[in-house]
């Protein structure tokens, strides 16, 4: 009796959970922001700005440019234009989830399943070479640069968020404080992006060892990005 062939289009459990949590949180924030604006609730201005910022961060990197374009035609009330504009963030979230799915499936392609009783590599794990490293290590050559590319918009925004448009040297328009937490959040987001890029590829076993390396790489990447943009 031949071995069953796994569904190559199915995401692993951790990836499915991540997509569901991401979309659920994004929908909640977008709906809350839309209702807050539509009913003009008497909330603190900083809270409203923070909710909008969370919405933008959740749908990065394209949302940075989308937000800037939307500010030119922003108005009060809950008109059709406003609803469509906020719905655009939901569309960006769906696109991000689709890109994430494509990346995970591209980095976790399964090898052919051997028939029952036939020696061969397990469908769950690619052949392991030296010290648990698999041939999939070559996929890091495109996943890591992709993660760095996706981090560029956050770096640009963080560069302004630390001290303002003139930087932290105090020249030009001077130092602007109060938005440093935005740069911190964006640095964390970049760290998570790189950590996912390193962990999603099945390049090292056991999995816990790969998870620790991904965590360390993401943390270092976030700290380096924060140091560079702060300068």
């Amino acid at each position: 009796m031949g071995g069953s062939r796994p569904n190559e289009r199915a995401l692993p459990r951790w990836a499915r959970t991540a997509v569901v949590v991401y979309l659920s949180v994004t929908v909640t924030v977008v709906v809350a922001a839309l209702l807050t604006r539509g009913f003009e609730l008497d909330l603190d201005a900083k809270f409203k700005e923070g909710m909008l910022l969370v919405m933008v961060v959740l749908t990065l990197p394209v949302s940075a440019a989308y937000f800037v374009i939307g500010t030119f035609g922003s108005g009060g009330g809950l008109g059709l234009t406003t609803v469509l504009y906020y719905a655009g963030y939901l569309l960006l979230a769906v696109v991000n989830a689709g890109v994430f799915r494509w990346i995970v499936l591209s980095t976790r392609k399964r090898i052919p399943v051997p028939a029952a009783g036939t020696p061969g590599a397990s469908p769950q794990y690619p052949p392991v070479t030296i010290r648990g490293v698999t041939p999939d290590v070559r996929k890091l050559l495109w996943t890591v640069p992709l993660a760095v590319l996706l981090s560029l918009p956050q770096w640009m925004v963080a560069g302004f968020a630390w001290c303002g448009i003139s930087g932290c040297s105090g020249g030009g328009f001077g130092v602007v404080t109060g938005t440093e937490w935005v740069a911190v959040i964006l640095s964390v987001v970049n760290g998570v992006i790189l950590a996912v890029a390193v962990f999603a590829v099945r390049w090292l076993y056991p999995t816990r060892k790969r998870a620790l390396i991904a965590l360390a790489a993401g943390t270092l990447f976030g700290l380096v990005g924060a140091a560079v943009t702060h300068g």
Side-chain angles (χ1 to χ4, degrees), residues 3 18 43 53 107 178 187 198 211:
L43 298 175
L53 176 64
T107 56
S187 299
V198 174

Side-chain angles (χ1 to χ4, degrees), residues 85-134:
Y85 173 69
Y86 278 75
Y89 286 101
L90 298 179
L91 178 60
L92 294 180
V94 172
V95 172
N96 285 347
V99 172
F100 174 76
R101 180 179 186 276
W102 173 77
I103 292 175
V104 172
L105 292 180
S106 297
T107 56
R108 300 178 71 88
K109 287 182 179 178
R110 302 180 186 275
I111 59 177
V113 182
T118 303
S122 167
Q124 299 295 330
Y125 306 101
V128 176
T129 57
I130 302 174
R131 297 184 181 276
V133 177
T134 75

Side-chain angles (χ1 to χ4, degrees), residues 139-152 194 197 221:
K139 294 180 180 179
L140 293 177
L141 295 177
W142 68 266
T143 59
V144 172
L146 178 62
V148 174
L149 182 64
L150 293 176
S151 299
L152 293 179
L194 186 71
F221 186 67

Side-chain angles (χ1 to χ4, degrees), residues 2-143:
S4 59
R5 181 176 298 274
N7 186 2
E8 296 182 354
R9 298 183 60 84
L11 289 174
R13 180 177 300 177
W14 69 268
R16 293 197 301 269
T17 302
V19 170
V20 171
V21 171
Y22 168 70
L23 292 178
S24 299
V25 172
T26 304
V27 169
T28 301
V29 173
V30 171
V31 171
L34 185 61
L35 293 177
T36 299
R37 178 166 180 171
F39 292 100
E40 299 182 354
L41 300 179
D42 187 18
L43 298 175
D44 183 73
K46 290 186 177 180
F47 177 80
K48 294 180 180 179
E49 293 175 359
M51 186 177 298
L52 179 60
L53 176 64
V54 171
M55 185 170 62
V56 174
V57 170
L58 282 171
T59 51
L60 283 171
V62 182
S63 59
Y66 184 75
F67 169 73
V68 173
I69 295 174
T71 56
F72 292 107
S74 59
L78 192 61
L80 178 60
T81 303
T82 302
V83 174
L84 292 177
Y85 173 69
Y86 278 75
Y89 286 101
L90 298 179
L91 178 60
L92 294 180
V94 172
V95 172
N96 285 347
V99 172
F100 174 76
R101 180 179 186 276
W102 173 77
I103 292 175
V104 172
L105 292 180
S106 297
T107 56
R108 300 178 71 88
K109 287 182 179 178
R110 302 180 186 275
I111 59 177
V113 182
T118 303
S122 167
Q124 299 295 330
Y125 306 101
V128 176
T129 57
I130 302 174
R131 297 184 181 276
V133 177
T134 75
D136 283 345
V137 69
R138 293 187 296 268
K139 294 180 180 179
L140 293 177
L141 295 177
W142 68 266
T143 59

Side-chain angles (χ1 to χ4, degrees), residues 135-196:
D136 283 345
V137 69
R138 293 187 296 268
K139 294 180 180 179
L140 293 177
L141 295 177
W142 68 266
T143 59
V144 172
L146 178 62
V148 174
L149 182 64
L150 293 176
S151 299
L152 293 179
Q154 290 82 265
W155 277 346
M156 294 177 61
V157 176
F160 294 114
W162 281 118
C163 302
I165 192 172
S166 298
C168 299
S169 61
F173 296 99
V175 176
V176 178
T177 60
T179 57
E180 296 88 348
W181 61 279
V182 176
V184 173
I185 292 177
L186 295 178
S187 299
V188 172
V189 169
N190 285 344
V192 172
I193 291 175
L194 186 71
V196 170

